[in-house]
């Protein structure tokens, strides 16, 4: 809870800080974090995408404790996060909302409408985290629809925007905990898709990969080796 206020025993606590994973297909990363923070048993992660699971491929607030908003239709999570932040302000709550947006997702016009509204209403209780990993479902963003300099774009929309190494936890933490300015904050995360597993990093089709037990064990060994080096 170094950044967000929450209570695993009371996931719908009205005064909590909220997370909207607008790039809803990144749900498994959210689920892993929720399990580590005690929202549900760690063993439950093994039911991901299984029939009857409470951990579907896209985040669903009605199925998973700790998920604040149902997402998956690209762009919609940004508008939902704006509404949540505005609602908290109207209710006089000190809560913050954090929205995670993809770079490919930002092809959607809805993202920029939501960004414009965020700045226009001065929603300083809403922080945007934009995952700039240079890839989307079927290729590189530069080939499909170049997105140019995201930090400059958000500044033009009225944000306090900063770019950090999104694979460096300390840099991300520093950006999240920096003093609040009089403008909404956008943190552009300069990332590598599949970071940490060389085979995934180098794969052109790493947006969605089927992983068998042997491959998984090999990748885990690589990650554990890097952990030992630290």
């Amino acid at each position: 809870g170094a950044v967000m206020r929450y209570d695993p025993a009371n996931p719908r606590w009205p005064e909590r800080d909220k997370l909207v994973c607008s790039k809803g297909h990144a749900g498994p990363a959210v689920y892993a974090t929720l399990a580590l923070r005690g929202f549900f048993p760690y063993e439950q992660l093994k039911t991901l995408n299984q029939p009857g699971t409470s951990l579907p491929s896209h985040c669903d607030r009605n199925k998973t404790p700790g998920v604040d908003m149902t997402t998956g239709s690209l762009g919609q999570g940004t508008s939902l996060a704006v509404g949540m932040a505005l609602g908290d302000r109207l209710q006089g709550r000190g809560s913050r909302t954090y929205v995670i947006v993809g770079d490919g997702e930002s092809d959607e016009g809805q993202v920029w409408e939501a960004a414009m509204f965020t700045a226009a209403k001065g929603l300083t209780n809403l922080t945007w985290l934009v995952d700039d990993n240079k890839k989307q479902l079927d290729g590189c963003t530069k080939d499909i629809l170049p997105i140019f300099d995201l930090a400059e774009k958000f500044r033009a929309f009225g944000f306090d925007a900063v770019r950090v190494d999104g694979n460096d936890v300390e840099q991300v933490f520093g950006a999240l905990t920096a003093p609040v300015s009089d403008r909404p904050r956008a943190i552009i995360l300069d990332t590598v898709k599949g970071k940490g597993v060389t085979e995934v990093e180098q794969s052109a089709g790493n947006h969605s990969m089927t992983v068998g037990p042997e491959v998984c064990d090999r990748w885990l060994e690589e990650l554990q080796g890097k952990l030992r080096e630290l």
Side-chain angles (χ1 to χ4, degrees):
V3 173
M4 295 180 67
R5 301 185 308 176
Y6 58 87
D7 180 2
N10 184 14
R12 296 289 173 90
W13 175 40
E15 300 294 327
R16 74 190 184 282
D17 291 338
K18 301 168 187 72
L19 176 72
V20 178
C21 185
S22 189
K23 45 176 288 179
H25 54 279
V30 176
Y31 302 152
T33 304
L34 290 173
L36 288 170
R37 305 312 282 179
F39 282 86
F40 50 83
Y42 189 79
E43 283 295 306
Q44 198 171 315
L45 291 173
K46 296 177 182 177
T47 70
L48 177 72
N49 286 346
Q50 298 300 310
T53 185
S54 61
L55 305 176
S57 58
H58 289 157
C59 297
D60 187 329
R61 72 186 297 271
N62 293 317
K63 291 186 176 181
T64 313
V67 168
D68 293 312
M69 185 50 68
T70 303
T71 54
S73 183
L74 295 179
Q76 288 191 357
T78 59
S79 297
L80 294 166
V82 164
M84 292 162 71
L86 183 59
D88 279 336
R89 190 168 75 180
L90 292 171
Q91 293 286 340
R93 299 187 184 118
S95 306
R96 296 193 60 80
T97 297
Y98 299 86
V99 60
I100 303 173
V101 189
D103 51 356
E105 178 181 15
S106 298
D107 290 353
E108 297 281 359
Q110 183 169 0
V111 170
W112 301 104
E113 292 179 46
M116 189 161 53
F117 189 94
T118 299
K121 299 301 179 184
L123 295 177
T124 55
N125 62 334
L126 174 60
T127 297
W128 288 55
L129 295 113
V130 187
D131 181 15
D132 187 10
N133 60 39
K134 292 85 180 171
K135 286 187 176 180
Q136 55 194 96
L137 188 146
D138 53 356
C140 296
T141 53
K142 66 180 176 59
D143 300 323
I144 295 170
L145 190 61
I147 202 158
F148 306 106
D149 190 324
L150 279 165
E152 288 299 327
K153 284 179 111 163
F154 273 92
R155 289 186 192 111
F157 271 71
F159 281 70
D160 168 20
V162 61
R163 176 178 286 274
V164 300
D165 180 348
N167 295 126
D168 185 326
V169 174
E170 290 185 358
Q171 285 194 35
V172 178
F173 179 78
L176 285 168
T177 55
V180 177
S181 76
D182 60 353
R183 292 182 294 163
R185 174 163 296 147
I187 302 170
I188 313 304
L189 304 169
D190 195 3
T191 58
V192 174
K193 206 173 182 78
K195 178 70 175 176
V197 180
T198 307
E199 197 174 330
V200 181
E201 289 182 27
Q202 296 174 350
S203 170
N206 60 3
H207 181 85
S208 179
M209 304 177 76
T210 301
V211 183
E214 291 181 7
V215 174
C216 183
D217 287 343
R218 187 170 74 246
W219 291 353
L220 282 173
E221 179 56 36
E222 180 182 351
L223 288 168
Q224 287 163 353
K226 292 179 179 179
L227 190 60
R228 285 191 292 270
E229 289 175 10
L230 294 173

